[in-house]
Amino acid sequence: MRRHPTARKRELIVREGVTPRVLIVGGELGHVRKARELGLDVVHVQFPDQYDRGHWPYVEQALLLDYGDVERLLPPARALHEAYPFQAAVSLFELGLLPAARINEALGLGGESVATVELLRDKWRMRRHLAAKGISPVAAAIGRRTRDVREFAEAHGLPVVVKPVRESGSLGVFRVRNAADVDAVAERFRSLDDGHWAAGDLSGAGSFDEFLMEEFLDGPEISVETLTFDGRHVVVAVTDKECGGPGFVELGHAQPSGCSAATLREVRHLVTDFLDAVGLRDGPGHTEVKLTSRGPRIVESHNRVGGDRINELTEIAYGVDMERYALGAGLGVVEPLTTSPAPRGGAAVRFLTPEPGRVVAVSGVDAVRADPACVDLRLTVRPGSQVPPLTWNEDKVGHVVARGATATEAVAHSRRLAAAIRIRTEPVA
């Protein structure tokens, strides 16, 4: 059987004692820091305004450009590879996933295929692919006009979901509850394409020319955090989600999941079958699943670590830093997992969602940070800041991460600590 390029690359690095060099596309400062801590030499591709002297201790070479323009990125990446060869291109950020795959393919470096990354990014293609495989059947169609939503609702019943074909972070996801919602939802969706997108945004011109319509999936939502090694999938954690904000904005997460053992077995089988079906061969996966009355159904998936502090929860609850595995597992500096880890305790995050308006006062921060249950508190507003209406994940203004002996205890701590952060706002005239 032909061995996967990643396996051959790992053996070569170990056998010849080469210091692996990795090209990291986009992401946070913490990603290049972790890569350097793993002993990797780092080439970093980043937007010029997101790269500063804080990166210097961790980065050997840098390419500063709009990496969303893959055709512009490939020539300098190829030239740099010829002068200072790297063994892999990786990204832990949504916008960098396809550029990293394109670089790996162009340079013959293995890694995740362009076909798989594109399949995961395009929710309509993914739905059709799953339907052809007989996995997680969900009624879906593409729409462009109000009439399309109305016809889909007549065919499949209400409620239905309208969302972008390629986005993340709950941006532009709407529930059509009744016939009166149809016109309003279609208009709100079209209004997102206002032409004000800039380099670095996940969206862009034309992102909202068409939308995906899906039958509404009832039941709670969870996400499944996986690591894949040469096609072998390991479920690291299952995350319980609390979705109570407008639309589908998530207000909190917790690990380990409180689902029954039978439900978790069914979910694990579904997700591993799904990852096989889309061809995922290496690296992390974050797959969202609805536990419907007809059984678990795939919502969507990404070949990256989950956002919204899920990696921190996995570190606390399971002792696994999925970002380190995403950066180093294919380069021989991190040993692949062989089985799912056992939980060590509970972890939860609660997001801060004050009333919209101008921030007048913030209190409780010092007391929360001093609390033994608090692992992390981040706040992005201060007096004078504007709090937007809560429409998608980027509108949340902070979070509290808490630990506990169990997930239930961690959730209670996260709620208590979040309530102790008082953000007072006033309406903006």
Side-chain angles (χ1 to χ4, degrees), residues 3 37 66 76 84 90 92 97 118 122 125 136 142 185 210 222 225 277 283 301 321 335 394 419:
R3 287 154 57 234
E37 290 170 352
D66 175 5
Y84 305 98
V90 301
L92 281 70
L97 297 175
E118 289 182 332
D122 189 321
R125 284 182 58 192
S136 186
I142 286 291
V185 165
E210 59 183 17
I222 60 175
E225 325 310 332
S301 185
D321 183 344
E335 280 297 315
E394 294 301 311

Side-chain angles (χ1 to χ4, degrees), residues 341-395:
R344 301 177 173 185
V349 60
R350 187 76 183 176
F351 299 102
L352 305 177
T353 57
E355 290 294 317
R358 183 182 295 109
V359 176
V360 175
V362 178
S363 61
V365 171
D366 291 340
V368 167
R369 285 204 169 106
D371 193 291
C374 179
V375 177
D376 184 41
L377 165 61
R378 296 191 189 181
L379 190 62
T380 62
V381 295
R382 58 186 178 182
S385 300
Q386 299 279 342
V387 176
L390 186 62
T391 59
W392 72 304
N393 285 345
E394 294 301 311
D395 293 327

Side-chain angles (χ1 to χ4, degrees), residues 130-338:
L130 292 184
K133 297 279 187 178
I135 297 173
S136 186
V138 174
I142 286 291
R144 295 177 178 81
R145 299 163 295 180
T146 303
R147 185 176 69 188
D148 297 329
V149 181
R150 188 172 292 112
E151 291 176 352
F152 186 84
E154 290 172 355
H156 300 284
L158 289 167
V160 300
V161 172
V162 171
K163 63 184 183 182
V165 176
R166 302 175 191 85
E167 295 301 331
S168 64
S170 298
L171 174 63
V173 182
F174 301 105
R175 183 186 308 178
V176 180
R177 292 180 171 83
N178 51 55
D181 282 346
V182 172
D183 290 344
V185 165
E187 182 59 34
R188 287 178 66 193
F189 189 92
R190 283 193 295 266
S191 72
L192 294 171
D193 200 7
D194 60 7
H196 295 132
W197 305 106
D201 291 333
L202 294 178
S203 304
S207 291
F208 304 99
D209 289 344
E210 59 183 17
F211 45 79
L212 181 63
M213 302 172 292
E214 294 181 341
E215 63 172 299
F216 177 73
L217 300 175
D218 63 338
E221 182 174 319
I222 60 175
S223 66
V224 182
E225 325 310 332
T226 56
L227 289 168
T228 298
F229 306 94
D230 295 341
R232 179 178 56 82
H233 313 300
V234 177
V235 174
V236 178
V238 176
T239 307
D240 289 341
K241 295 173 174 283
E242 180 182 345
C243 301
F248 293 85
V249 177
E250 296 157 356
L251 301 181
H253 306 313
Q255 293 179 9
S257 173
C259 293
S260 69
T263 296
L264 290 175
R265 281 195 298 271
E266 191 174 7
V267 167
R268 285 169 181 259
H269 286 311
L270 172 64
V271 170
T272 53
D273 286 348
F274 165 78
L275 296 177
D276 283 339
V278 299
L280 193 76
R281 293 288 308 176
D282 285 288
H286 170 69
T287 305
E288 297 168 356
V289 176
K290 273 293 195 82
L291 304 177
T292 78
S293 55
R294 295 176 294 148
R297 294 290 187 271
I298 299 292
V299 177
E300 58 187 61
S301 185
H302 310 268
N303 65 306
R304 57 167 169 78
V305 179
D308 272 351
R309 323 326 299 181
I310 283 176
N311 191 56
E312 287 89 328
L313 302 189
T314 307
E315 284 191 79
I316 297 166
Y318 292 92
V320 176
D321 183 344
M322 294 186 60
E323 292 180 348
R324 288 171 61 89
Y325 278 94
L327 292 164
L331 297 173
V333 297
V334 179
E335 280 297 315
L337 294 179
T338 56

